[in-house]
Amino acid sequence: MSKKTVLVTGANKGIGFGIAKHLGLSGWQVVIGARDEQRASKAISELKAQGIDVLGWVNIELKDLDGIEQAAKEISEKYPDLSLLVNNAGIPGDMSVDSEHTEISVIRETLDVNFIGTFALTKALIPLIAKNSGRIANVTVPSEISPYWHPLAYVASKAAQNAMMGVMAIEFQQSETPVEIFSVHPGPTTTDLNGNMALPGFHDIETVGQKFAELINDGQNHQGEFIELYPIVKED
């Protein structure tokens, strides 16, 4: 039986690296999506040193729609067996200000990358994933607003991603398209994105990567689901 192939965007660091590592350790062939060749090469060396089958990397800059089209063509030609897309890449926006003080330009940029770019890549790869009866997993956060953590640009961009997932899941079912799409909320995780915040209830990249891989390999259908690996714990 041939190995299964996954593309993880933003896989050179953070949660994306953890996901690529643990999917690789569980037998997947990994394609790295990254914006920078040097960082991609470093990640590939680290993954290969742990025995992971990394097929290569693809330059994916989510705010460059022409570049996404090119990347999708390259993926379809080089990795025709791709059966899992993990939409992990994203930017934080400005997490230090409240909504009243959030610049419109920051909202626009965050939506351009996290929603429009993610949608463009997903749209471009659906034909290949459908051919392989594959899956799309989005790394996201709940659309319901947490009283503890709610940076507007980021939360809005992920709410749009969740809407995309829900709509596509219904459409795939209605049209009997052999693609499964779902969203995964890792829960509070210590990463560069949040300035390596480490509060009670936070998990590390290893733990999240492992739990994500277990979910992917569980043999269940998760069409249209929003799955929380580690829900946000309410403070007393």
Side-chain angles (χ1 to χ4, degrees):
M1 183 178 146
S2 64
K3 275 193 171 182
K4 296 170 290 190
T5 304
V6 57
L7 167 66
V8 183
T9 66
N12 56 286
K13 65 174 185 176
I15 288 173
F17 182 83
I19 287 170
K21 174 182 170 179
H22 285 279
L23 284 173
L25 289 172
S26 69
W28 285 77
Q29 292 181 308
V30 177
V31 180
I32 301 286
R35 294 186 293 178
D36 179 276
E37 185 168 8
Q38 211 174 347
R39 288 200 293 261
S41 299
K42 182 174 179 286
I44 288 169
S45 298
E46 288 175 24
L47 291 168
K48 284 188 169 175
Q50 298 183 63
I52 290 159
D53 188 359
V54 185
L55 299 180
W57 83 287
V58 182
N59 190 331
I60 296 175
E61 170 57 82
L62 288 174
K63 63 184 176 192
D64 175 7
L65 297 182
D66 291 336
I68 286 172
E69 284 297 316
Q70 281 305 114
K73 279 188 190 140
E74 184 185 336
I75 290 158
S76 299
E77 286 163 15
K78 283 189 182 172
Y79 313 111
D81 296 331
L82 185 78
S83 63
L84 175 61
L85 165 62
V86 178
N87 282 318
N88 164 75
I91 58 171
D94 186 349
M95 292 188 170
S96 68
V97 293
D98 62 12
S99 53
E100 184 189 346
H101 298 98
T102 302
E103 298 289 343
I104 297 290
S105 59
V106 171
I107 297 275
R108 186 173 280 130
E109 182 190 23
T110 311
L111 283 167
D112 274 348
V113 172
N114 294 2
F115 174 56
I116 293 172
T118 298
F119 170 69
L121 180 65
T122 302
K123 181 175 186 284
L125 289 176
I126 284 171
L128 176 61
I129 289 171
K131 183 169 76 71
N132 294 322
S133 299
R135 291 174 288 171
I136 300 159
N138 299 323
V139 178
T140 179
V141 299
S143 297
E144 298 79 33
I145 308 305
S146 159
Y148 311 113
W149 185 83
H150 40 250
L152 179 63
Y154 187 76
V155 171
S157 70
K158 292 298 189 174
Q161 237 185 59
N162 292 339
M164 173 191 92
M165 182 279 293
V167 170
M168 283 185 171
I170 287 170
E171 290 172 345
F172 291 153
Q173 285 174 298
Q174 289 174 339
S175 62
E176 297 184 355
T177 302
V179 176
E180 196 183 312
I181 185 168
F182 52 94
S183 292
V184 182
H185 175 219
T189 309
T190 302
T191 69
D192 286 357
L193 186 115
N194 55 30
N196 292 306
M197 191 183 286
L199 298 172
F202 272 62
H203 294 88
D204 61 22
I205 288 159
E206 285 293 311
T207 308
V208 167
Q210 190 171 358
K211 191 135 183 180
F212 188 98
E214 286 168 9
L215 170 69
I216 293 299
N217 296 322
D218 71 4
Q220 306 294 309
N221 184 308
H222 294 292
Q223 183 75 282
E225 291 181 13
F226 181 92
I227 299 154
E228 296 200 82
L229 297 185
Y230 292 104
I232 294 171
V233 179
K234 292 191 168 38
E235 295 171 9
D236 293 330

